[in-house]
Amino acid sequence: MAAFVAILLALLPFALYLAWRRFGPTRGEPSSGMIVAMLLGVGLMLSGAVWFGLSRSFERGEAYVPATLGPDGSVQQGHGGRAR
């Protein structure tokens, strides 16, 4: 999850520049409405990433149990279990 956020933050300046060039190529500076819209978008993206990371995390002391094949050949999903 941290790597995903790091990649998004690294690409953010390029995305902002491309949005500025796309929506305001004739003006010298982006409008205040565009800046507010971009900041809201970035805030929503980051809050969604944090929410997703927190909703999928394991409790303290839990270990990841990888996916396995069941007795009938079906795949049982990976899950959190007690640490060994």
Side-chain angles (χ1 to χ4, degrees):
M1 182 67 189
F4 180 68
V5 172
I7 290 170
L8 287 178
L9 288 176
L11 294 176
L12 180 63
F14 300 106
L16 291 175
Y17 176 73
L18 290 174
W20 173 59
R21 293 294 297 164
R22 170 73 174 100
F23 295 112
T26 58
R27 290 178 248 139
E29 296 180 11
S31 67
S32 59
M34 178 60 68
I35 292 173
V36 169
M38 286 184 198
L39 289 175
L40 282 173
V42 169
L44 285 172
M45 176 194 66
L46 290 176
S47 63
V50 167
W51 172 79
F52 181 76
L54 292 175
S55 68
R56 300 290 182 183
S57 62
F58 293 131
E59 296 296 325
R60 186 175 298 264
E62 272 189 314
Y64 176 69
V65 178
T68 57
L69 285 176
D72 59 349
S74 64
V75 177
Q76 296 174 346
Q77 288 186 345
H79 58 280
R82 61 183 176 91
R84 294 184 225 185

